[in-house]
Amino acid sequence: MKITYYGQSAFGVEVQGKSLVFDPFISPNELASHVDVDSIPADYILLSHGHQDHVFDAEQIAKRTGATVISNFEIVTWYGDKEINGHPMNHGGNWNFDFGSVKYVNAVHSSVLPDGTYGGNPGGFVITSEDGTFYFAGDTALTWDMKLIPMTSPKLDFAILPIGDNFTMGIEDAVIASDFINCDKIIGCHYDTFGYIKINHEAAKKAFAEKNKELILIEIGDSLTI
Ligand code: NI
Ligand code: MN
């Protein structure tokens, strides 16, 4: 799977020849000013919750590409009113798409859409395909529910976890989360974009390395293959 980081919690992941875009907040992010939103490929746009720093560019990308939004019922309904195709889910539900399956799992956070519309409850996604399995946590605290993921999914090849603290887990809790989900390869997100979430990269990597785990911090605009 080819993974491209677009800053904050925005990622592109190629799965079974399909382009999945997660939580696209790119054009307002000064750290991602070199990323061209209009050249990002998308077959599906997965939105973990309704906050601006996760959905800002979703409408523009969906209208350009015709991508299907995958999110909770409330968010998909909101985009449906903008004539954007969507697939509604809710917590604990799994659905088979043409690239693999998506399970919408619990997150401990909040969710409201940019115009103040109720954004349902926030979530994360477990993607399972012939290319492998990964977990995109969205914005969340460390939660005991993460222990359900290895009980209900194939072994994770990697996980994308928030590490910036203040609004989500910080480093110490993310290390515990990586134990809960039984995954040693973590890609960090939700750090550095705002003053509240600036982190020390080397200290963060060291905290994971001390537990024999790898924290990968991808340069914005760069890709890697797992
Ligand atoms: Ni949020
Ligand atoms: Mn956020």
Side-chain angles (χ1 to χ4, degrees):
M1 290 171 280
K2 183 184 174 196
I3 302 143
T4 305
Y5 187 42
Y6 299 123
Q8 185 65 347
S9 295
F11 288 85
V13 185
E14 302 289 323
V15 182
Q16 289 284 295
K18 300 292 179 182
S19 298
L20 278 55
V21 172
F22 291 84
D23 284 3
F25 167 86
I26 301 157
S27 54
N29 184 355
E30 288 176 14
L31 302 177
S33 58
H34 56 295
V35 175
D36 176 16
V37 174
D38 289 325
S39 66
I40 293 175
D43 296 300
Y44 296 91
I45 301 170
L46 292 86
L47 303 176
S48 63
H49 64 296
H51 289 159
Q52 269 296 22
D53 62 311
H54 298 260
V55 305
F56 190 94
D57 293 307
E59 181 175 348
Q60 186 179 331
I61 295 171
K63 290 216 160 133
R64 173 177 56 82
T65 60
T68 297
V69 170
I70 301 173
S71 189
N72 67 31
F73 177 81
E74 291 80 1
I75 290 172
V76 166
T77 300
W78 192 75
Y79 280 102
D81 291 342
K82 299 172 185 292
E83 300 189 342
I84 290 169
N85 295 327
H87 180 98
M89 301 189 74
N90 219 324
H91 297 82
N94 193 67
W95 185 260
N96 292 318
F97 294 87
D98 56 1
F99 57 87
S101 67
V102 176
K103 187 169 187 181
Y104 192 62
V105 297
N106 294 349
V108 174
H109 192 67
S110 58
S111 178
V112 65
L113 285 151
D115 65 356
T117 301
Y118 172 60
N121 288 310
F125 301 100
V126 177
I127 314 297
T128 302
S129 80
E130 288 178 18
D131 291 341
T133 300
F134 66 98
Y135 168 47
F136 178 89
D139 278 5
T140 184
L142 174 64
T143 166
W144 204 249
D145 290 344
M146 290 170 176
K147 292 190 172 213
L148 297 172
I149 290 172
M151 295 171 65
T152 53
S153 301
K155 176 93 172 76
L156 298 175
D157 294 290
F158 68 94
I160 299 174
L161 301 182
I163 57 172
D165 221 332
N166 192 75
F167 298 114
T168 68
M169 296 188 284
I171 301 296
E172 288 178 14
D173 285 1
V175 170
I176 297 169
S178 70
D179 278 337
F180 282 8
I181 61 175
N182 189 27
C183 184
D184 294 336
K185 191 181 283 290
I186 303 300
I187 297 173
C189 71
H190 214 270
Y191 62 92
D192 284 358
T193 315
F194 318 114
Y196 291 130
I197 61 174
K198 289 208 190 310
I199 65 161
N200 179 323
H201 292 203
E202 291 317 307
K205 289 177 184 173
K206 187 161 170 264
F208 278 86
E210 283 171 354
K211 303 283 184 182
N212 295 316
K213 293 169 182 286
E214 182 184 15
L215 175 67
I216 302 167
L217 302 179
I218 307 173
E219 293 289 329
I220 295 173
D222 282 1
S223 302
L224 62 85
T225 300
I226 294 177

